[in-house]
Amino acid sequence: MLRPKADAAWHLHELTRDAGLAAFVLFSSATATLGGAGQGGYTAANAFLDALAQHRGALGLPGLSLAWGLWEQSGGMAGSLDQATLRRMRHAGVLPLSRRTAWRSWTPRSPAPGARCCPSGWTWPRCAARPPSPRCCVR
């Protein structure tokens, strides 16, 4: 998972570096912030996307990494999670987002170069007991 995702993002960065883009949006995962049991390659790949957005910002280029949290759906990656994993996530304060809530959680705007946003569902009392995650914004 790490190499294909990181290579693709890096190639897009190189190919568009001088293109004068208004936005460069990467879809990452909250696992880069929260970690994920048994998901080392996936976590590293998404951390790379977050770092690439920051790198672009340092170069004065647009870059936004959306580190999506868990979506409430029966298909895709979320659909393959077992009940034990979902219970562990709920216990940690992570709640699934409905499609409607997920898409409303991010509206296009002009973020600061290198910005990172983590649209996710949270149970704040549980999250407050965990160490803070840097630069993670939630609506």
Side-chain angles (χ1 to χ4, degrees), residues 106-123:
W106 178 70
T107 55
R109 57 184 170 275
S110 298
R116 179 170 171 270
C117 189
C118 190
S120 299
W122 307 97
T123 302

mmCIF file of all heavy atoms in Angstrom, residues 106-123:
data_model
loop_
_atom_site.group_PDB
_atom_site.id
_atom_site.type_symbol
_atom_site.label_atom_id
_atom_site.label_comp_id
_atom_site.label_asym_id
_atom_site.label_seq_id
_atom_site.Cartn_x
_atom_site.Cartn_y
_atom_site.Cartn_z
ATOM 1 N N TRP A 106 -16.544 19.021 5.050
ATOM 2 C CA TRP A 106 -15.521 19.744 4.321
ATOM 3 C C TRP A 106 -16.158 20.500 3.184
ATOM 4 O O TRP A 106 -16.829 19.928 2.340
ATOM 5 C CB TRP A 106 -14.462 18.799 3.752
ATOM 6 C CG TRP A 106 -13.441 19.524 2.954
ATOM 7 C CD1 TRP A 106 -12.492 20.369 3.424
ATOM 8 C CD2 TRP A 106 -13.292 19.503 1.539
ATOM 9 N NE1 TRP A 106 -11.746 20.876 2.387
ATOM 10 C CE2 TRP A 106 -12.222 20.350 1.211
ATOM 11 C CE3 TRP A 106 -13.955 18.853 0.505
ATOM 12 C CZ2 TRP A 106 -11.791 20.565 -0.084
ATOM 13 C CZ3 TRP A 106 -13.533 19.069 -0.800
ATOM 14 C CH2 TRP A 106 -12.460 19.907 -1.080
ATOM 15 N N THR A 107 -15.945 21.792 3.176
ATOM 16 C CA THR A 107 -16.435 22.609 2.069
ATOM 17 C C THR A 107 -15.231 23.232 1.388
ATOM 18 O O THR A 107 -14.272 23.633 2.057
ATOM 19 C CB THR A 107 -17.383 23.726 2.561
ATOM 20 O OG1 THR A 107 -16.713 24.485 3.561
ATOM 21 C CG2 THR A 107 -18.666 23.145 3.125
ATOM 22 N N PRO A 108 -15.229 23.293 0.084
ATOM 23 C CA PRO A 108 -14.072 23.880 -0.608
ATOM 24 C C PRO A 108 -13.810 25.310 -0.148
ATOM 25 O O PRO A 108 -14.718 26.102 -0.007
ATOM 26 C CB PRO A 108 -14.496 23.849 -2.082
ATOM 27 C CG PRO A 108 -15.551 22.815 -2.160
ATOM 28 C CD PRO A 108 -16.257 22.840 -0.834
ATOM 29 N N ARG A 109 -12.586 25.582 0.107
ATOM 30 C CA ARG A 109 -12.146 26.920 0.496
ATOM 31 C C ARG A 109 -10.665 27.013 0.174
ATOM 32 O O ARG A 109 -10.081 26.072 -0.302
ATOM 33 C CB ARG A 109 -12.424 27.169 1.970
ATOM 34 C CG ARG A 109 -11.790 26.145 2.895
ATOM 35 C CD ARG A 109 -12.201 26.434 4.337
ATOM 36 N NE ARG A 109 -11.845 25.392 5.236
ATOM 37 C CZ ARG A 109 -12.543 24.304 5.481
ATOM 38 N NH1 ARG A 109 -13.656 24.091 4.848
ATOM 39 N NH2 ARG A 109 -12.141 23.405 6.342
ATOM 40 N N SER A 110 -10.073 28.113 0.446
ATOM 41 C CA SER A 110 -8.647 28.287 0.187
ATOM 42 C C SER A 110 -7.884 28.101 1.480
ATOM 43 O O SER A 110 -7.663 29.057 2.220
ATOM 44 C CB SER A 110 -8.384 29.685 -0.386
ATOM 45 O OG SER A 110 -9.051 29.835 -1.607
ATOM 46 N N PRO A 111 -7.479 26.876 1.777
ATOM 47 C CA PRO A 111 -6.740 26.641 3.021
ATOM 48 C C PRO A 111 -5.323 27.182 2.922
ATOM 49 O O PRO A 111 -4.815 27.423 1.829
ATOM 50 C CB PRO A 111 -6.732 25.115 3.137
ATOM 51 C CG PRO A 111 -6.816 24.645 1.728
ATOM 52 C CD PRO A 111 -7.647 25.667 0.997
ATOM 53 N N ALA A 112 -4.707 27.339 4.053
ATOM 54 C CA ALA A 112 -3.308 27.745 4.068
ATOM 55 C C ALA A 112 -2.491 26.656 3.389
ATOM 56 O O ALA A 112 -2.821 25.476 3.490
ATOM 57 C CB ALA A 112 -2.850 27.925 5.518
ATOM 58 N N PRO A 113 -1.452 27.025 2.657
ATOM 59 C CA PRO A 113 -0.616 26.006 2.020
ATOM 60 C C PRO A 113 -0.115 24.993 3.049
ATOM 61 O O PRO A 113 0.313 25.364 4.133
ATOM 62 C CB PRO A 113 0.546 26.809 1.432
ATOM 63 C CG PRO A 113 0.004 28.179 1.240
ATOM 64 C CD PRO A 113 -0.969 28.375 2.382
ATOM 65 N N GLY A 114 -0.184 23.719 2.710
ATOM 66 C CA GLY A 114 0.281 22.676 3.606
ATOM 67 C C GLY A 114 -0.719 22.288 4.677
ATOM 68 O O GLY A 114 -0.371 21.625 5.642
ATOM 69 N N ALA A 115 -1.963 22.704 4.511
ATOM 70 C CA ALA A 115 -2.971 22.433 5.541
ATOM 71 C C ALA A 115 -3.350 20.959 5.574
ATOM 72 O O ALA A 115 -3.206 20.232 4.603
ATOM 73 C CB ALA A 115 -4.217 23.278 5.276
ATOM 74 N N ARG A 116 -3.849 20.555 6.713
ATOM 75 C CA ARG A 116 -4.321 19.189 6.912
ATOM 76 C C ARG A 116 -5.593 19.264 7.720
ATOM 77 O O ARG A 116 -5.656 19.954 8.718
ATOM 78 C CB ARG A 116 -3.271 18.393 7.663
ATOM 79 C CG ARG A 116 -3.675 16.976 7.926
ATOM 80 C CD ARG A 116 -2.464 16.225 8.455
ATOM 81 N NE ARG A 116 -2.880 14.937 8.916
ATOM 82 C CZ ARG A 116 -3.277 14.690 10.146
ATOM 83 N NH1 ARG A 116 -3.286 15.640 11.039
ATOM 84 N NH2 ARG A 116 -3.670 13.487 10.491
ATOM 85 N N CYS A 117 -6.594 18.552 7.291
ATOM 86 C CA CYS A 117 -7.860 18.521 8.006
ATOM 87 C C CYS A 117 -8.261 17.065 8.176
ATOM 88 O O CYS A 117 -8.002 16.232 7.315
ATOM 89 C CB CYS A 117 -8.916 19.286 7.210
ATOM 90 S SG CYS A 117 -10.439 19.519 8.130
ATOM 91 N N CYS A 118 -8.881 16.775 9.299
ATOM 92 C CA CYS A 118 -9.251 15.402 9.628
ATOM 93 C C CYS A 118 -10.761 15.319 9.838
ATOM 94 O O CYS A 118 -11.234 15.347 10.968
ATOM 95 C CB CYS A 118 -8.488 14.971 10.872
ATOM 96 S SG CYS A 118 -8.592 13.234 11.255
ATOM 97 N N PRO A 119 -11.547 15.234 8.737
ATOM 98 C CA PRO A 119 -12.998 15.120 8.897
ATOM 99 C C PRO A 119 -13.349 13.744 9.473
ATOM 100 O O PRO A 119 -13.185 12.729 8.803
ATOM 101 C CB PRO A 119 -13.550 15.269 7.481
ATOM 102 C CG PRO A 119 -12.395 15.561 6.593
ATOM 103 C CD PRO A 119 -11.155 15.255 7.342
ATOM 104 N N SER A 120 -13.749 13.731 10.724
ATOM 105 C CA SER A 120 -14.025 12.480 11.428
ATOM 106 C C SER A 120 -15.098 12.698 12.465
ATOM 107 O O SER A 120 -15.350 13.820 12.880
ATOM 108 C CB SER A 120 -12.765 11.968 12.137
ATOM 109 O OG SER A 120 -11.738 11.720 11.216
ATOM 110 N N GLY A 121 -15.698 11.610 12.905
ATOM 111 C CA GLY A 121 -16.645 11.660 14.007
ATOM 112 C C GLY A 121 -15.918 11.341 15.299
ATOM 113 O O GLY A 121 -15.055 10.470 15.335
ATOM 114 N N TRP A 122 -16.240 12.063 16.344
ATOM 115 C CA TRP A 122 -15.537 11.878 17.616
ATOM 116 C C TRP A 122 -16.520 11.871 18.778
ATOM 117 O O TRP A 122 -17.524 12.559 18.753
ATOM 118 C CB TRP A 122 -14.549 13.017 17.862
ATOM 119 C CG TRP A 122 -13.601 13.273 16.755
ATOM 120 C CD1 TRP A 122 -13.721 14.213 15.778
ATOM 121 C CD2 TRP A 122 -12.403 12.570 16.478
ATOM 122 N NE1 TRP A 122 -12.657 14.138 14.918
ATOM 123 C CE2 TRP A 122 -11.835 13.141 15.323
ATOM 124 C CE3 TRP A 122 -11.744 11.513 17.100
ATOM 125 C CZ2 TRP A 122 -10.637 12.694 14.782
ATOM 126 C CZ3 TRP A 122 -10.555 11.066 16.549
ATOM 127 C CH2 TRP A 122 -10.013 11.650 15.416
ATOM 128 N N THR A 123 -16.174 11.150 19.812
ATOM 129 C CA THR A 123 -16.836 11.245 21.106
ATOM 130 C C THR A 123 -15.836 11.983 21.985
ATOM 131 O O THR A 123 -14.840 11.409 22.430
ATOM 132 C CB THR A 123 -17.133 9.847 21.700
ATOM 133 O OG1 THR A 123 -17.936 9.144 20.776
ATOM 134 C CG2 THR A 123 -17.844 9.955 23.032
#
